[in-house]
Amino acid sequence: MQKTFSKFSYYYIATTLLIVGVIVKFFLVDTDLGARFKDFNHRILASDILFLFATFLAIMGFIFNAIRKNRKTTLNDSTIIISAILIIPISLVLALTPILETIYPGKVGDSVLASLIMGLATIGTFAVFAWIILFVVIIIKQTFRILTIKTGK
């Protein structure tokens, strides 16, 4: 179970975000995640951000699977699961904002909802920074192992 989840965790998250993006695009309020209050250009909407983030996560899943297929690497299943867990808070923020904007139009920036979204966004920001550090360490460590370890035949 752990091996299956670690192999497809990024794809699970990306697929979920794609489904939420389609729901937001066709059935919910597709806002620009607060930019409408600041006179920004209204070209990138919440569904577009969800689609881009889902594509990014699918590419990251492909990179992790490519690293794991090499026999010289020592990438653990738990490392991939931890890195996927670090992505979940920012994914929740991106997915929940259009849903809450549909349920409570114009009130996402007010009181309790703002505290919820800002709390998740803060946790998500720190989690993304931790994920970036973990990803860089994984890439450097595994690249070093691939380049330096010789396998005997």
Side-chain angles (χ1 to χ4, degrees), residues 3 8 12 16 37 50 80 90 113 122 129 133 138 142:
K3 187 172 181 86
F8 296 110
Y12 292 146
T16 304
F37 299 117
L50 286 168
I80 295 175
I90 199 69
L113 288 175
T122 303
F129 285 130
I133 292 168
I138 288 171
Q142 299 305 325

Side-chain angles (χ1 to χ4, degrees), residues 10-134:
Y10 278 90
Y11 300 126
Y12 292 146
I13 297 169
T15 303
T16 304
L17 288 177
L18 280 175
I19 292 169
V20 170
V22 168
I23 291 170
V24 168
K25 189 72 166 178
F26 295 111
F27 301 110
L28 300 177
V29 175
D30 197 7
T31 66
D32 49 359
L33 297 178
R36 67 187 183 287
F37 299 117
K38 299 181 177 112
D39 296 329
F40 290 155
N41 194 352
H42 298 262
R43 301 220 188 255
I44 297 178
L45 298 174
S47 60
D48 301 330
I49 293 170
L50 286 168
F51 293 142
L52 290 173
F53 194 64
T55 304
F56 171 74
L57 289 180
I59 291 169
M60 290 298 111
F62 176 73
I63 289 172
F64 279 132
N65 283 337
I67 289 173
R68 286 185 67 209
K69 286 183 181 179
N70 192 323
R71 292 181 183 176
K72 296 179 185 178
T73 60
T74 59
L75 187 59
N76 297 333
D77 294 335
S78 60
T79 305
I80 295 175
I81 292 172
I82 289 170
S83 68
I85 288 171
L86 288 173
I87 292 296
I88 290 175
I90 199 69
S91 300
L92 281 174
V93 170
L94 291 175
L96 281 178
T97 303
I99 294 168
L100 291 175
E101 185 67 36
T102 302
I103 296 170
Y104 305 105
K107 297 183 181 180
V108 172
D110 296 339
S111 68
V112 176
L113 288 175
S115 300
L116 172 70
I117 294 295
M118 289 310 294
L120 280 174
T122 303
I123 292 169
T125 302
F126 287 116
V128 166
F129 285 130
W131 179 84
I132 290 170
I133 292 168
L134 180 66

